[in-house]
Amino acid sequence: MSFIPGQPVTAVVQRIEIRKLRQGEHLILGFSIGGGIDQDPGQNPFSEDKSDKGIYVTRVTPEGPAEVAGLMMGDKVMQVNGWDMTMVTHDQARKRLTKKNEDVVRLLVTRKSLEQAVRHSMM
Amino acid sequence: MFPPFVKPLHKKLRTFEKKGLSSRSPPASKIDSLRSKVELLRLPLALSSKSISHRKSQLGGAGERGTGGGGAHRGKPRPPASDMDNESQYSGYSYKSSHSRSSRKHRDRRDRHRSKSRDGSSRGDKSVTIQAPGEPLLDTESTRGDDRDDNWGETTTVQTGTSEHSVSNEDLTRVSKELEESSPLECRRFLGPALGAVLGLFALVTPLAFLALPQLLWRESLEPCGTPCEGLYVSLAFKLLVLLISTWALFLRPPRATLPRFYVFRCLLLALVFLFVASYWLFYGVRVLEPRERDYRGIVGYAASLVDALLFIQYLALVLLEVRHLQPAFCLKMVRTTDGASRFYNVGHLSIQRAAVWVLDQYYSDFPVYNPALLNLPKSILSKKISGFKVYTLGEENSTNNSTGQSRAMIAAAARRRDNSHNEYYYEEAEMERRVRKRKARLVVAVEEAFTHIKRLQDDEPAASSPKHPREVMDPREAAQAIFAPMARAMQKYLRTTRQQPYHSMESIINHLQFCITHNMTPMAFLERYLSPGPTMQYQRENGRGRQWTLVSEEPVTSALRPGLVFSLRRLDFSLVVTVTPLPFLHLGEEFIDPKSHKFVMRLQSETSV
């Protein structure tokens, strides 16, 4: 998942559709994110390339909407509802995910095992 | 190499030790049985002992030559018989490694003697016999063949050192050195200053003569001169005084070292002074004495100009002799050939011989003292490489070709053979270190305990605290002797293990102890002298004879230091190799940092739950 500056990023992604759950007056998705272009990429335990400033899923609450939809810890979020997540600040990412007027978020996430699975299936 | 019947005996001793029995109080029967075995074995060996040891010495000699031992190394240093070392001679890796300093034959001989001495002394006896090793040599840097072995050999071999009653090679060299270092050196030392004194006196008297001669010879016809002359007189007197002092300081003080060739700058300056003074006399004779010059003021001015010129020469001398070499320009690397101790020094522009003198001054205070007992790998490890191959020539007549081909073949074959001597070396080093640390621990504890036995008497304390236990008041010497006894044994063992025993006699240890007690030193302060080998200066004896060093160089020794020059300073049994490298030229740049420009931010790492 390393990127070459100036070249388009290519990755094998999985579409995940999460329905937000209403808890009181909040709509929650059931996971936590970390990372962003304004954060320190060296402390990200899930990234292979320690200069990767993308948004990563750091925690998934059990039995939450995200887990039900198939999101796993360590996934890198590439797009949220069509909005790019690879070059955003932490706060921008949070805002994109927690829009009050959206009930459903469609994520494109990538993880290492996806790429391996594709490679195996091609061989 | 070893006769096979001796091996089982040593194995037995080793297993005996491994059983964990303290070597001090073993069951007596076992010792007796072993002892009798040793006696028995000695008989057949003694008959052919000379031939075996002779053969072994030959082999050992070939091994030494083969490994290129150091030049003037006469007589292998042997550890003296230690009838007090009754613990763990055989512990550790192997029998071979416990005493691999000496060759096998010495060990064998010593074992026989130790068994003999064990017959005499009782096993549990802790009596202290301190063998003060004779008188330490006057020159502690030369080879020491002096460790007296009381149970000295019944078999004399080719490579042996001294005996108690014969004059050995070491004694002869010592005597010849003493002869060398006496009178010729003393005379040569003072020749330079004498010449300088004569010339300086001549130069100093000259202006006074210039002034005095007209007064003496044709006083009546001289024009009187008033205050300017008096001013000149005063300045002349002052300058002469300064000249006198600086001449003494620069030329007349006896140098601390005699150089092999004359000291170029000094000779040049003396020649310059002589030329100046001679030319002034010449002009004086022609212009003043002959026509009987009447202008006295001119004569006084002439004398004053001579003194000024002499002062400028003094200034030049000061710069050349004392100041020029202070600014560092070269880095000298000094390596001692025997054990590789090395240091780096920065010097300025000097000639080779002056640099050698300077560097030797540093040697005496920086380098740890040369201990011939601590040389490199024992021969038993290295000699395996050479022996073991016999090369047969088939039908070759040309012998010279053969020998080189033979040796090359042997070396190649030896290199191909898998050799484990590094293993032995490693274990030997570990064993040695372990032993040293053990002895050191015992020594430190013994000394600490000994120091608790005395305390300083305060002035206001009554000397006798109670009538039942009167405490005798001792002076430092007596106090030192009193507390020396409990630590003497541990000290001697430690010195033996670190092979420092020739440097410290019992007398010197007691003196040092007395010194430490007088100055309220702690036990560790007392021990610092023995725990690490100090610089050579620490072991120098006061004698006016001086040290003989030979400067070996491919360039004339009065030439200046250049980068890439190599010279060496040789003594009898080791030498110091000095390499000259230039100090790098430094480009120093500047960067200004505004104190307000130091700003920091925290590294962010936040996690948000959505």
Side-chain angles (χ1 to χ4, degrees):
Chain A
M1 282 192 285
S2 60
F3 78 101
I4 304 162
Q7 303 295 319
V9 176
T10 54
V12 183
V13 295
Q14 177 185 356
R15 279 180 219 276
I16 292 185
E17 190 175 306
I18 306 180
R19 293 195 171 276
K20 295 192 186 176
L21 182 68
R22 184 162 289 279
Q23 251 188 17
E25 58 182 49
H26 299 291
L27 284 168
I28 62 161
L29 288 160
F31 65 97
S32 304
I33 54 167
I37 52 177
D38 55 340
Q39 306 284 312
D40 175 22
Q43 308 196 23
N44 190 344
F46 305 108
S47 63
E48 288 173 23
D49 179 13
K50 289 302 169 189
S51 61
D52 184 7
K53 296 188 175 182
I55 307 289
Y56 281 79
V57 174
T58 56
R59 216 163 34 96
V60 178
T61 58
E63 311 300 327
E67 192 182 12
V68 166
L71 193 67
M72 293 170 51
M73 189 169 77
D75 292 352
K76 177 175 175 183
V77 178
M78 307 294 280
Q79 274 184 16
V80 171
N81 285 343
W83 295 100
D84 170 60
M85 286 279 132
T86 56
M87 278 286 152
V88 290
T89 66
H90 191 87
D91 210 38
Q92 284 171 347
R94 183 191 58 82
K95 280 190 193 146
R96 298 246 193 281
L97 284 166
T98 54
K99 289 214 182 312
K100 287 212 188 313
N101 49 358
E102 288 174 356
D103 262 353
V104 169
V105 283
R106 294 185 177 85
L107 312 176
L108 286 181
V109 300
T110 178
R111 62 181 85 94
K112 190 86 166 87
S113 53
L114 289 178
E115 206 167 324
Q116 284 170 354
V118 168
R119 217 180 293 136
H120 277 304
S121 64
M122 285 204 302
M123 282 197 293
Chain B
M1 209 158 78
F2 234 72
F5 48 79
V6 184
K7 270 210 181 112
L9 169 65
H10 300 312
K11 269 207 206 114
K12 214 172 221 157
L13 286 169
R14 211 172 354 131
T15 53
F16 169 70
E17 176 65 31
K18 273 191 194 152
K19 276 182 196 159
L21 295 168
S22 132
S23 54
R24 273 201 212 119
S25 54
S29 54
K30 266 206 176 143
I31 285 296
D32 288 336
S33 67
L34 288 171
R35 221 181 286 150
S36 57
K37 264 219 175 83
V38 173
E39 307 278 341
L40 267 173
L41 284 170
R42 203 153 28 98
L43 284 175
L45 271 181
L47 284 178
S48 55
S49 63
K50 283 225 171 85
S51 55
I52 286 183
S53 52
H54 195 66
R55 255 184 272 136
K56 276 188 202 152
S57 71
Q58 275 181 344
L59 214 61
E64 222 184 323
R65 257 178 276 122
T67 55
H73 187 79
R74 296 195 190 108
K76 288 195 186 142
R78 287 174 287 119
S82 41
D83 32 285
M84 300 191 312
D85 288 4
N86 42 16
E87 40 246 298
S88 66
Q89 289 295 342
Y90 302 105
S91 67
Y93 169 60
S94 73
Y95 170 70
K96 279 183 290 185
S97 73
S98 66
H99 278 284
S100 42
R101 273 264 62 84
S102 53
S103 66
R104 294 267 188 84
K105 65 167 161 38
H106 292 302
R107 234 180 289 139
D108 198 16
R109 213 184 331 128
R110 222 182 333 111
D111 283 355
R112 276 181 251 143
H113 299 310
R114 195 180 299 117
S115 65
K116 244 195 332 193
S117 64
R118 272 187 197 158
D119 290 340
S121 63
S122 58
R123 282 304 236 130
D125 185 15
K126 283 197 191 179
S127 68
V128 174
T129 30
I130 300 178
Q131 304 169 358
E135 33 107 31
L137 289 187
L138 283 168
D139 203 340
T140 52
E141 294 164 50
S142 62
T143 20
R144 214 157 290 96
D146 223 7
D147 24 359
R148 303 247 182 89
D149 194 346
D150 289 329
N151 304 320
W152 201 67
E154 50 198 353
T155 57
T156 51
T157 65
V158 175
Q159 287 174 337
T160 205
T162 66
S163 81
E164 295 184 24
H165 304 292
S166 66
V167 177
S168 69
N169 271 333
E170 279 78 17
D171 287 339
L172 280 175
T173 53
R174 201 183 347 144
V175 165
S176 64
K177 243 192 306 157
E178 289 174 34
L179 284 179
E180 271 179 336
E181 287 172 1
S182 58
S183 38
L185 209 67
E186 307 262 332
C187 286
R188 255 184 26 180
R189 225 192 253 188
F190 296 112
L191 187 62
L195 196 64
V198 165
L199 203 58
L201 208 60
F202 178 53
L204 282 177
V205 159
T206 304
L208 300 173
F210 284 178
L211 291 179
L213 278 176
Q215 295 276 349
L216 291 175
L217 291 179
W218 61 88
R219 175 180 269 226
E220 319 73 35
S221 53
L222 278 180
E223 291 165 19
C225 74
T227 41
C229 270
E230 267 138 44
L232 282 172
Y233 288 153
V234 173
S235 78
L236 213 65
F238 178 67
K239 284 178 194 164
L240 278 177
L241 182 66
V242 171
L243 264 179
L244 185 70
I245 295 177
S246 64
T247 309
W248 170 81
L250 285 177
F251 291 101
L252 295 186
R253 278 187 300 183
R256 279 186 42 255
T258 45
L259 304 175
R261 298 212 188 162
F262 54 84
Y263 189 174
V264 172
F265 283 149
R266 208 185 265 201
C267 294
L268 275 178
L269 288 162
L270 289 177
L272 197 63
V273 165
F274 179 70
L275 263 175
F276 249 110
V277 174
S279 61
Y280 264 76
W281 267 112
L282 189 67
F283 275 109
Y284 187 75
V286 167
R287 296 280 188 212
V288 175
L289 284 182
E290 289 237 358
R292 299 212 161 197
E293 177 72 38
R294 299 177 59 215
D295 180 16
Y296 194 57
R297 190 150 161 259
I299 297 176
V300 175
Y302 185 70
S305 73
L306 169 65
V307 174
D308 285 337
L310 284 178
L311 263 179
F312 284 131
I313 296 183
Q314 282 291 342
Y315 176 66
L316 185 68
L318 195 70
V319 168
L320 280 182
L321 296 181
E322 304 283 342
V323 171
R324 183 169 171 259
H325 60 76
L326 289 179
Q327 186 171 38
F330 296 105
C331 184
L332 300 183
K333 174 175 182 180
M334 192 154 79
V335 181
R336 185 159 61 186
T337 52
T338 49
D339 57 354
S342 71
R343 292 274 189 286
F344 287 82
Y345 298 113
N346 286 355
V347 295
H349 292 277
L350 287 171
S351 64
I352 294 183
Q353 50 186 8
R354 282 174 76 195
V357 168
W358 189 88
V359 114
L360 278 179
D361 282 339
Q362 311 299 314
Y363 167 78
Y364 274 101
S365 58
D366 281 344
F367 272 65
V369 64
Y370 163 64
N371 195 344
L374 287 174
L375 294 181
N376 46 12
L377 289 182
K379 297 294 177 285
S380 61
I381 291 182
L382 290 178
S383 62
K384 281 189 186 159
K385 288 196 173 166
I386 304 298
S387 65
F389 278 102
K390 286 194 82 162
V391 180
Y392 294 97
T393 63
L394 304 171
E396 249 331 302
E397 266 91 49
N398 203 348
S399 58
T400 50
N401 269 350
N402 253 357
S403 58
T404 51
Q406 222 178 44
S407 51
R408 238 181 275 143
M410 273 176 66
I411 294 175
R416 258 181 262 126
R417 199 174 56 159
R418 198 180 57 172
D419 117 75
N420 281 336
S421 57
H422 55 86
N423 225 3
E424 281 194 38
Y425 177 59
Y426 169 70
Y427 282 113
E428 149 109 26
E429 287 257 314
E431 169 66 22
M432 184 70 186
E433 205 179 324
R434 202 182 67 87
R435 222 184 303 150
V436 167
R437 265 187 298 179
K438 193 170 66 167
R439 293 272 163 95
K440 176 180 165 182
R442 291 210 179 135
L443 176 66
V444 168
V445 165
V447 171
E448 298 256 358
E449 268 193 52
F451 267 65
T452 57
H453 290 318
I454 56 165
K455 75 171 184 132
R456 186 173 269 270
L457 186 67
Q458 308 299 330
D459 287 332
D460 47 353
E461 250 184 51
S465 54
S466 74
K468 266 196 280 187
H469 308 283
R471 296 190 289 188
E472 50 172 278
V473 179
M474 301 185 283
D475 68 350
R477 179 86 192 166
E478 291 164 358
Q481 279 166 340
I483 64 172
F484 178 63
M487 72 163 94
R489 191 165 179 238
M491 170 74 80
Q492 177 126 14
K493 285 195 186 176
Y494 178 78
L495 289 180
R496 281 240 176 91
T497 311
T498 53
R499 306 192 198 280
Q500 282 177 319
Q501 77 273 15
Y503 296 114
H504 305 288
S505 64
M506 179 168 94
E507 192 56 37
S508 77
I509 299 178
I510 294 190
N511 282 342
H512 185 62
L513 188 55
Q514 174 188 347
F515 173 78
C516 291
I517 292 177
T518 317
H519 293 275
N520 288 332
M521 293 206 197
T522 61
M524 284 316 276
F526 162 68
L527 280 177
E528 68 82 29
R529 196 177 194 210
Y530 305 106
L531 289 181
S532 58
T536 316
M537 221 37 218
Q538 198 177 333
Y539 304 101
Q540 291 303 314
R541 303 265 295 229
E542 285 301 321
N543 53 351
R545 279 205 201 94
R547 309 273 168 253
Q548 181 81 7
W549 289 84
T550 312
L551 179 54
V552 178
S553 126
E554 289 160 13
E555 299 226 344
V557 296
T558 47
S559 59
L561 288 179
R562 278 189 300 107
L565 203 58
V566 175
F567 61 94
S568 72
L569 290 154
R570 204 177 55 206
R571 251 194 109 78
L572 275 185
D573 36 351
F574 67 95
S575 58
L576 305 168
V577 178
V578 181
T579 319
V580 181
T581 44
L583 285 177
F585 182 76
L586 304 169
H587 292 275
L588 213 55
E590 184 205 342
E591 183 183 334
F592 174 69
I593 295 186
D594 186 5
K596 295 203 203 62
S597 69
H598 299 294
K599 299 198 188 308
F600 292 90
V601 289
M602 291 289 289
R603 295 186 101 154
L604 294 175
Q605 191 224 344
S606 46
E607 187 186 350
T608 327
S609 60
V610 293

